[in-house]
Amino acid sequence: WLQYGAEKKDEDLFRQSAASLKAHFIGLEGLVYWKLTPEGKTLVSTNALVDDLRLVDALYSGYSLWGKEEYARMAQSIGQANGKYLAVDGMLVDFYDLKYKNHPDFLTLAYICPSTVQKLVSQGIFTEELGAATENLLATIPNDGIFYPKQYQLKTKKTVYDPVVNLVEQLYIMQHRRQLGLSSDPLY
């Protein structure tokens, strides 16, 4: 709803969505829980990079549209938490598990949103190195002639294809590569 409110330029919807996000989804450490009970209780101890980056982008859009400092502070807080918990060996990972104090050793390539990463770098929240590594990964991923791989494995520094192609993820990769001015010819 937050992203939709920004795109629609509906300040009331955006304000209500931001208030709900702050009251129910953002944990004390700044990570956004992705699942709640109908009563608003946290069901999980993990966040999701893909959601957090979209929320950061929407919050910065809200700040640009309506000038409310609270939106920029929320975006910065979520971005800082992601930089603290999800930046591993100079690369982002999919999530962080607060309960087990652990993270995966992979990044789902569709989760990379370069425009949001660039905003976080420009705000001094993500390091220049993290921004460059993330963009470089997206710029240099191989394809099999038609599709892009699903994940990047941090330990092996290799990409992995999924046996079943998710077309929505492929379109996100294409869209994000276009944000960098790159071609996505294999998908055409």
Side-chain angles (χ1 to χ4, degrees):
W1 292 108
L2 195 68
Q3 192 174 31
Y4 178 70
E7 289 177 13
K8 191 177 171 200
K9 295 182 177 50
D10 184 333
E11 188 172 4
D12 287 335
L13 175 61
F14 190 91
R15 182 181 35 75
Q16 291 169 6
S17 300
S20 178
L21 173 66
K22 185 176 182 180
H24 301 292
F25 290 90
I26 300 177
L28 295 175
E29 65 294 311
L31 294 174
V32 179
Y33 299 116
W34 64 272
K35 189 173 186 179
L36 300 176
T37 66
E39 296 78 33
K41 303 291 182 201
T42 303
L43 284 178
V44 296
S45 58
T46 59
N47 73 316
L49 174 68
V50 64
D51 296 332
D52 289 6
L53 291 179
R54 286 188 187 139
L55 290 167
V56 166
D57 188 57
L59 287 162
Y60 277 131
S61 292
Y63 172 69
S64 294
L65 288 167
W66 300 294
K68 302 243 193 260
E69 290 287 333
E70 179 182 12
Y71 302 153
R73 283 193 301 273
M74 288 172 67
Q76 291 164 351
S77 175
I78 295 168
Q80 287 166 344
N82 276 264
K84 178 178 180 180
Y85 294 105
L86 277 74
V88 178
D89 297 330
M91 185 59 66
L92 293 168
V93 294
D94 278 15
F95 64 88
Y96 185 78
D97 189 321
L98 286 161
K99 181 178 180 181
Y100 296 103
K101 300 189 182 338
N102 200 2
H103 54 76
D105 65 348
F106 59 84
L107 171 61
T108 300
L109 297 169
Y111 292 5
I112 301 170
C113 182
S115 62
T116 306
V117 170
Q118 289 168 355
K119 286 177 189 172
L120 292 168
V121 169
S122 73
Q123 295 289 318
I125 295 168
F126 281 3
T127 65
E128 294 276 344
E129 294 79 14
L130 180 62
T134 304
E135 285 184 13
N136 185 54
L137 175 61
L138 197 56
T140 60
I141 56 174
N143 65 69
D144 64 4
I146 300 172
F147 299 112
Y148 292 107
K150 180 177 180 78
Q151 292 178 338
Y152 175 75
Q153 302 288 323
L154 273 69
K155 287 182 183 177
T156 63
K157 299 190 183 324
K158 293 185 178 180
T159 55
V160 177
Y161 285 86
D162 205 16
V164 177
V165 174
N166 181 321
L167 288 178
V168 172
E169 288 181 350
Q170 293 293 308
L171 291 172
Y172 275 127
I173 292 170
M174 181 180 78
Q175 177 187 23
H176 296 154
R177 284 177 52 86
R178 302 230 1 126
Q179 286 178 4
L180 296 173
L182 300 169
S183 169
S184 292
D185 291 339
L187 291 175
Y188 288 114

